[in-house]
Amino acid sequence: MATINVYTESTPNPATMKFLVNKLLINGSLDYPDREKAQESAFARELFKFNFVNGVFFASNFVTVTKTDDAAWSDIEPLLKEFVKGAVESELAVKPEEHSEDVVFEGSDVEVKIQQVLHDYVRPAVEQDGGAIAYKSFDKGTVTVELRGSCSGCPSSTITLKAGIEGLLKRMVPEVEEVVAEAM
């Protein structure tokens, strides 16, 4: 078995830290914004046993952890790095096996095009910051998305949404007039 290395990266959200490993954890992404939703994932469930963990998000080769306001990264980062290393080495399950992550775009031609742009161009960039974006709807020129992981509650997410995502979608899908985020 190869040695598992864990390193951290800060995210635009100061309450969230990205823990990267040299192994694929999941195809796609999973968001566990609270302890109750984390029950289906052994890995997330164990992370929530730390009283300072407020949210867990998995994508490709990383897990982002959102901490409580009273915890300091300098105190908890070493504990979490060690936990993540041990969890990956012991192959603690990130998701139940029956969970499928096949990409299927549905809706009108415009909706499919919006989803394709979000998947191909926006998702990889958002994942770099430890988050995820999900398409919710398109109605009368307005695209509604859901921001998850470190993007949820991030101070710079509004700028990213308006300056980045909205601008890209307006250029690539002329029917788009505005992009809004649905509250979590």
Side-chain angles (χ1 to χ4, degrees):
M1 182 174 91
T3 302
I4 298 298
N5 296 314
V6 180
Y7 63 99
T8 57
E9 284 182 5
S10 59
T11 71
N13 183 348
T16 303
M17 180 80 64
K18 188 173 171 182
F19 293 82
L20 294 106
V21 297
N22 57 331
K23 179 179 180 181
L24 182 68
L25 298 177
I26 183 174
N27 282 316
S29 65
L30 285 172
D31 189 24
Y32 298 106
D34 57 50
R35 186 171 268 105
E36 291 73 40
K37 289 194 173 68
Q39 294 310 302
E40 73 174 37
S41 165
F43 200 137
R45 194 171 51 243
E46 291 300 312
L47 277 167
F48 271 103
K49 288 182 180 178
F50 292 104
N51 63 356
F52 51 77
V53 171
N54 216 15
V56 175
F57 173 78
F58 296 97
S60 58
N61 69 328
F62 66 86
V63 56
T64 58
V65 176
T66 303
K67 69 175 186 64
T68 57
D69 292 337
D70 59 342
W73 283 119
S74 58
D75 296 333
I76 65 174
E77 183 181 344
L79 292 169
L80 288 171
K81 278 178 87 168
E82 197 57 39
F83 172 81
V84 169
K85 179 177 173 50
V88 173
E89 286 174 345
S90 67
E91 298 184 1
L92 194 58
V94 170
K95 64 178 183 171
E97 286 307 309
E98 67 274 9
H99 187 17
S100 175
E101 206 46 67
D102 292 334
V103 179
V104 178
F105 303 129
E106 297 177 344
S108 68
D109 289 347
V110 172
E111 289 175 298
V112 167
K113 193 170 182 182
I114 291 166
Q115 292 170 67
Q116 188 75 52
V117 170
L118 289 173
H119 182 268
D120 293 348
Y121 298 98
V122 177
R123 181 188 55 85
V126 171
E127 284 182 358
Q128 285 293 314
D129 286 338
I133 187 167
Y135 170 81
K136 299 305 278 183
S137 65
F138 176 70
D139 185 43
K140 298 178 185 138
T142 300
V143 176
T144 302
V145 296
E146 180 181 85
L147 299 173
R148 299 185 297 221
S150 70
C151 294
S152 178
C154 172
S156 63
S157 65
T158 303
I159 296 165
T160 300
L161 186 70
K162 291 297 180 182
I165 299 166
E166 185 176 277
L168 178 69
L169 278 172
K170 281 179 170 180
R171 283 191 308 277
M172 297 184 83
V173 186
E175 295 85 349
V176 172
E177 297 169 19
E178 179 184 29
V179 178
V180 297
E182 187 177 80
M184 289 283 292

